[in-house]
Amino acid sequence: MSPTATTSSAANGNVSAATAAAAARTADAGTQPVTFAKALNSALADAMALEDSVLVFGEDVGVLGGVFRITDGLTKRFGTGRCFDTPLAESGIVGMAIGMAMNGMRPVIEMQFDAFAYPAFEQIASHVAKMHNRTKGRMPLPMVIRIPYAGGIGGVEHHCDSSESYYAHTPGLKVFTPATVRDAYLMLREAIDSPDPVIFMEPKKLYWTKEQVDLEALRLSHETDAVPPTEGRAAVARSGTDATLIAYGPSVSTAMAAAEAAALEGRSLEVIDVRTIVPLDDATICESVRKTGRAVVIAEAPGFASVSSEIVARIQERCFHSLAAPVLRVTGFDTPYPAPKLEKYYLPSVDRILDAVDALQWEEGA
Amino acid sequence: MTTTEPRDAIEQVSSKFGITPEDYMLPARTEIHMLDINGKLHPSGQQGAEPGHEYPLPSPKALVDAYEQLVIGRRVNDQNSALVRQGRMAVYPSSHGQEACQVAAALCLGENDWMFPTYRDTVAVMAKGVAPMEVMAGFRGDWHSGYDPKQYKVSIQSTPLTTQLLHAVGVAHAAKLRGEDTVVLAMCGDGATSEGDFHEALNFAAVFNLPVIFFVQNNQYAISVPLSQQSVAPSLAHKAVGYGMAGERVDGNDLVALLAVLGRAVRLAREGNGPLLVEAHTYRMQAHTNADDATRYREDSEVQGWIDKDPVTRMRTYLADAGLLPQDTEARITAHAEAVATALRDGMNSENVPDPADLFAHVYSTPTTQMAEQAAMLADELAREEDAK
Ligand SMILES: Cc1ncc(C[n+]2csc(CCOP(=O)(O)OP(=O)(O)O)c2C)c(N)n1
Ligand SMILES: [Mg+2]
């Protein structure tokens, strides 16, 4: 769903912005290799071009374009009133975004890294999540908090946390996490259009991955509502019949690689990409598990009291009689995220997933 | 969008007053006061004023209108405290003794200006025009907040200390980006100035040169902890200079001075001179809330000392002496306050049964599948209870 473009930059006679938009459309037409980062950047630019109320701000998001370059070129194209740097204060960034959303804007703000969103936790848990409910919907907060998260890049401490469970545990927040370049574009557009606040978690190890994508076609399909929304709809990333791997964000590619490897051994694994942790698509997950009778949930975050434990609990509640084996998990250990040289022991790996699959009580010869 | 750099804005406004930027940002040497404790107007020149910190006397009409709200405010506080004692609501943080601050905070604002109040600022919220029973919904336990912030341009009464100051900054920032001349008044207490969001909000407002008035009611205590344990700054108003904004201290029990100081702050902010910090020196006459026992941390004699500075008595004496309070005016004001109190009593005594379905209806703009399932579960549970009756 696209909001009506009440005040598009082009309509305001902002010629350079209109020219930039036209240039982007021509350059993006046709299928070509596109990075995850570029897809996010295009989603921001397209949303900003459509509506003047969409604002981008955070730390180093202006001239630098963000430490991951996700906001590259936005200040140049839309001006310092639309994309700007703030003082270093995460609670300040989120708190100011709340006020802006209260007063007609749609802020899309960036937390520089997962662990640096923690100073903003009070604003997120006490206001972002609760304003709509406490005012019975009279004060909606349409805003997006973008958070680069998770590891796998050899990052130092405080740069690799999988913090999704904190947000998912807080009623009132929506939690999106794309795993493909296509979804990166579509889901960010959807998050910006959402009347509810969205915590948009970007697996930082995917920023530089490429996929063959026609961005211009995606743009058109989003703006004409030609694609179904991703919110509350998990994707079947790979069809299979023997067991279901359920993953999201950074773990989807690992699950896909595991399914690939299992196929070589004659085992057909289905892979579900959760896409939106909140709201969670119980239906698609359960449909798959009822079909296969076996499931492994994969996530980088420590497994204890986590999104992965929630998914297992829900499968157990809903699919108990279809299960041939206990639902297993492959998650990060219940330790702080390790230093770079130890990361490989911590992260869910293809082998660890295949071991879990092997442990799903297969009958002899199956 | 105004393109004035914050530093230029400070230069311009201070040169307009003929003082240095430092003298503009630093509060006057003493707090601004206009009425003495006997309700006599200080002769001009002895109001704590100095160059760049001079405040003209508000008009007689403004003073009488403000007095009317002051009397209503006192009545609201006392009525609500009585309702708590009678068990009609769980908790009411009274602003008894601080009503002059409450009234001035509301009256200094124009129709399109926003207010960001705290749990203690019920009287200010009502004085800005929010329907009393909509305000009370939160205190009587119907829902966390009962009025439409957009309709009244009054945000929710915030409990997490100083979080609301940042929202105020955001509202002002959005308005400024659209070229609107909205001013935002953001309120907090003395203890709250120690919170991180206080610092972040003041800094953001100054860096983005936003029309926000930070209004600190220094009532000397944060629950049990006195100000001396929160800060050793010369005054809370002095914190302003650290952010590059103007600070001022005012006698918080002197409605005349409050109207003058806040009135000027709003004008300066609206003209694009950036944010200001106003610290009002007042006293919380009652316990933090009904659940608190103030005798554990302060002497009764201290409280007694503040009775002499009562904001209502001072204002009444001044207006009566000035001939601005003829009998019919006083009678009208008393009747108005009584009517508000009656409405509060009637409203609080009538049973209002909140709908349990509301638990799930507003968490998201459209209930998620999970919300709908849980709503159905509760509805089913209630239906079975009903059947069992
Ligand atoms: C972040 C946060 N910490 C603690 C509290 C609990 N609390 C409520 S009021 C209060 C004292 C605040 O004092 P002050 O800012 O001086 O305001 P006053 O109550 O005196 O008006 C405290 C500690 C809170 N509401 N929010
Ligand atoms: Mg206090």
Side-chain angles (χ1 to χ4, degrees):
Chain A
M1 264 180 303
S2 310
T4 351
T6 39
T7 49
S8 85
S9 303
N12 281 350
N14 189 337
V15 179
S16 66
T19 318
R25 305 208 102 120
T26 320
D28 291 344
T31 301
Q32 47 188 303
V34 175
T35 62
F36 198 90
K38 165 72 179 162
L40 293 171
N41 178 264
S42 298
L44 290 171
D46 293 349
M48 290 175 85
L50 202 61
E51 267 218 78
D52 280 352
S53 59
V54 178
L55 307 176
V56 169
F57 53 93
E59 297 164 2
D60 301 293
V61 299
V63 278
L64 180 68
V67 293
F68 292 108
R69 308 292 183 269
I70 307 302
T71 58
D72 189 31
L74 298 180
T75 297
K76 186 155 176 253
R77 179 167 162 196
F78 297 101
T80 50
R82 303 279 310 280
C83 176
F84 55 88
D85 292 321
T86 65
L88 286 176
E90 293 74 15
S91 188
I93 294 166
V94 174
M96 182 166 79
I98 292 170
M100 287 181 149
M102 289 174 76
N103 197 7
M105 299 297 189
R106 285 181 176 263
V108 184
I109 54 177
E110 177 172 304
M111 297 283 104
Q112 201 158 67
F113 282 88
D114 31 62
F116 306 136
Y118 301 151
F121 196 75
E122 182 184 25
Q123 288 287 353
I124 295 174
S126 294
H127 293 301
V128 176
K130 294 183 177 136
M131 194 66 86
H132 190 280
N133 186 62
R134 75 158 70 92
T135 61
K136 290 196 177 172
R138 288 179 286 219
M139 186 52 90
L141 293 182
M143 58 186 279
V144 179
I145 304 178
R146 294 183 35 248
I147 308 180
Y149 84 116
I153 59 159
V156 295
E157 197 184 9
H158 313 298
H159 293 73
C160 297
D161 281 14
S162 285
S163 47
E164 66 274 18
S165 300
Y166 304 135
Y167 307 110
H169 189 69
T170 306
L173 302 175
K174 286 183 171 166
V175 184
F176 290 15
T177 183
T180 66
V181 172
R182 184 178 177 277
D183 277 353
Y185 180 87
L186 290 173
M187 289 174 70
L188 185 51
R189 291 296 307 268
E190 225 177 292
I192 297 170
D193 291 350
S194 172
D196 296 309
V198 177
I199 308 292
F200 195 84
M201 312 227 31
E202 303 170 0
K204 64 174 85 69
K205 75 167 188 195
L206 297 184
Y207 278 143
W208 304 283
T209 59
K210 280 186 186 159
E211 258 171 55
Q212 291 289 333
V213 165
D214 183 341
L215 266 184
E216 174 59 10
L218 276 188
R219 185 178 285 137
L220 278 175
S221 57
H222 173 80
E223 286 171 12
T224 56
D225 293 342
V227 277
T230 60
E231 182 182 314
R233 289 174 209 227
V236 180
R238 179 187 173 109
S239 299
T241 50
D242 296 341
T244 304
L245 303 182
I246 300 149
Y248 55 85
S251 300
V252 173
S253 54
T254 322
M256 291 295 275
E260 192 73 36
L264 296 176
E265 294 165 14
R267 208 161 255 165
S268 164
L269 302 185
E270 182 144 299
V271 178
I272 302 289
D273 172 0
V274 171
R275 299 207 289 196
T276 65
I277 296 172
V278 182
L280 188 70
D281 183 359
D282 286 312
T284 299
I285 293 172
C286 289
E287 195 188 323
S288 175
V289 175
R290 284 195 194 106
K291 181 181 77 179
T292 62
R294 291 177 167 85
V296 177
V297 182
I298 303 141
E300 267 190 46
F304 192 82
S306 67
V307 172
S308 65
S309 43
E310 177 64 21
I311 293 174
V312 174
R314 301 178 81 85
I315 293 173
Q316 183 273 129
E317 285 167 351
R318 289 164 176 74
C319 314
F320 184 76
H321 295 291
S322 308
L323 288 173
V327 182
L328 297 182
R329 285 186 294 160
V330 177
T331 67
F333 295 124
D334 296 330
T335 67
Y337 196 86
K341 287 181 184 163
L342 291 166
E343 166 176 271
K344 62 174 181 284
Y345 304 108
Y346 175 92
L347 290 170
S349 62
V350 168
D351 284 346
R352 214 172 269 162
I353 294 170
L354 292 175
D355 284 349
V357 170
D358 282 344
L360 292 175
Q361 301 184 3
W362 305 91
E363 289 125 49
E364 273 321 298
Chain B
M1 185 185 160
T2 331
T3 46
T4 322
E5 288 289 323
R7 263 180 235 284
D8 297 343
I10 293 278
E11 290 276 345
Q12 282 163 23
V13 66
S14 47
S15 76
K16 212 159 60 190
F17 288 121
I19 52 177
T20 65
E22 284 73 20
D23 283 339
Y24 170 71
M25 290 187 282
L26 281 169
R29 270 170 201 80
T30 54
E31 69 181 26
I32 306 299
H33 49 276
M34 292 190 166
L35 295 184
D36 68 15
I37 60 164
N38 299 314
K40 298 268 179 275
L41 200 62
H42 285 285
S44 83
Q46 291 176 27
Q47 299 166 0
E50 52 192 83
H53 299 262
E54 293 125 336
Y55 294 91
L57 191 66
S59 73
K61 172 161 186 338
L63 294 178
V64 175
D65 288 351
Y67 175 70
E68 179 163 357
Q69 289 301 321
L70 189 68
V71 173
I72 294 170
R74 173 60 53 85
R75 195 67 191 84
V76 165
N77 274 331
D78 292 348
Q79 181 61 70
N80 282 340
S81 295
L83 286 162
V84 170
R85 285 192 299 275
Q86 293 155 17
R88 300 307 304 184
M89 64 178 138
V91 68
Y92 178 71
S94 174
S95 63
H96 189 116
Q98 301 175 219
E99 290 93 344
C101 297
Q102 297 284 305
V103 168
L107 298 190
C108 69
L109 295 173
E111 213 183 312
N112 290 319
D113 296 339
W114 276 78
M115 173 191 281
F116 281 75
T118 74
Y119 51 88
R120 195 171 305 287
D121 301 318
T122 301
V123 167
V125 170
M126 289 183 188
K128 188 157 192 301
V130 183
M133 279 317 295
E134 291 180 28
V135 186
M136 296 318 292
F139 293 105
R140 87 165 169 186
D142 295 353
W143 199 252
H144 295 312
S145 178
Y147 54 90
D148 179 355
K150 279 195 174 124
Q151 179 193 345
Y152 296 108
K153 302 235 180 329
V154 177
S155 191
I156 49 112
Q157 285 186 261
S158 182
T159 307
L161 299 171
T162 66
T163 52
Q164 74 280 4
L165 305 185
L166 282 161
H167 310 164
V169 167
V171 164
H173 202 157
K176 181 175 168 174
L177 287 171
R178 284 196 298 264
E180 299 160 1
D181 72 348
T182 309
V183 169
V184 183
L185 182 115
M187 305 168 81
C188 74
D190 49 300
T193 63
S194 303
E195 293 279 358
D197 279 3
F198 176 82
H199 158 69
E200 296 189 18
L202 268 72
N203 193 44
F204 272 52
V207 167
F208 294 112
N209 196 34
L210 302 174
V212 183
I213 315 296
F214 296 97
F215 182 44
V216 179
Q217 289 169 82
N218 173 2
N219 63 8
Q220 319 297 330
Y221 287 90
I223 309 186
S224 65
V225 180
L227 181 60
S228 58
Q229 283 172 251
Q230 300 287 350
S231 172
V232 290
S235 80
L236 298 175
H238 278 82
K239 295 192 177 216
V241 68
Y243 299 100
M245 70 172 78
E248 196 72 283
R249 303 175 265 193
V250 54
D251 180 341
N253 286 15
D254 176 352
L255 184 52
V256 180
L258 280 159
L259 290 169
V261 171
L262 286 173
R264 188 179 89 155
V266 169
R267 270 195 307 283
L268 286 172
R270 204 183 308 283
E271 287 162 6
N273 300 301
L276 296 100
L277 170 63
V278 175
E279 174 192 3
H281 206 212
T282 180
Y283 196 77
R284 197 193 73 209
M285 295 301 286
Q286 296 175 351
H288 173 68
T289 66
N290 44 294
D292 174 40
D293 174 8
T295 62
R296 293 176 74 104
Y297 52 83
R298 66 184 190 188
E299 296 295 330
D300 200 41
S301 59
E302 182 185 295
V303 184
Q304 292 303 314
W306 279 85
I307 290 177
D308 295 339
K309 301 177 190 161
D310 184 69
V312 186
T313 317
R314 268 158 88 177
M315 189 66 177
R316 191 188 168 279
T317 310
Y318 167 66
L319 290 177
D321 289 355
L324 291 169
L325 218 50
Q327 226 164 34
D328 56 336
T329 306
E330 263 233 272
R332 181 179 55 77
I333 290 174
T334 313
H336 189 178
E338 222 30 68
V340 174
T342 306
L344 280 175
R345 268 196 315 274
D346 292 349
M348 296 304 275
N349 285 328
S350 72
E351 265 329 310
N352 180 51
V353 186
D355 181 357
D358 272 345
L359 279 173
F360 311 98
H362 311 289
V363 182
Y364 300 98
S365 54
T366 313
T368 59
T369 313
Q370 288 78 10
M371 287 288 102
E373 285 171 6
Q374 292 173 20
M377 190 190 94
L378 178 60
D380 179 57
E381 199 178 294
L382 294 174
R384 278 184 285 124
E385 252 172 46
E386 200 56 39
D387 287 348
K389 268 185 200 161

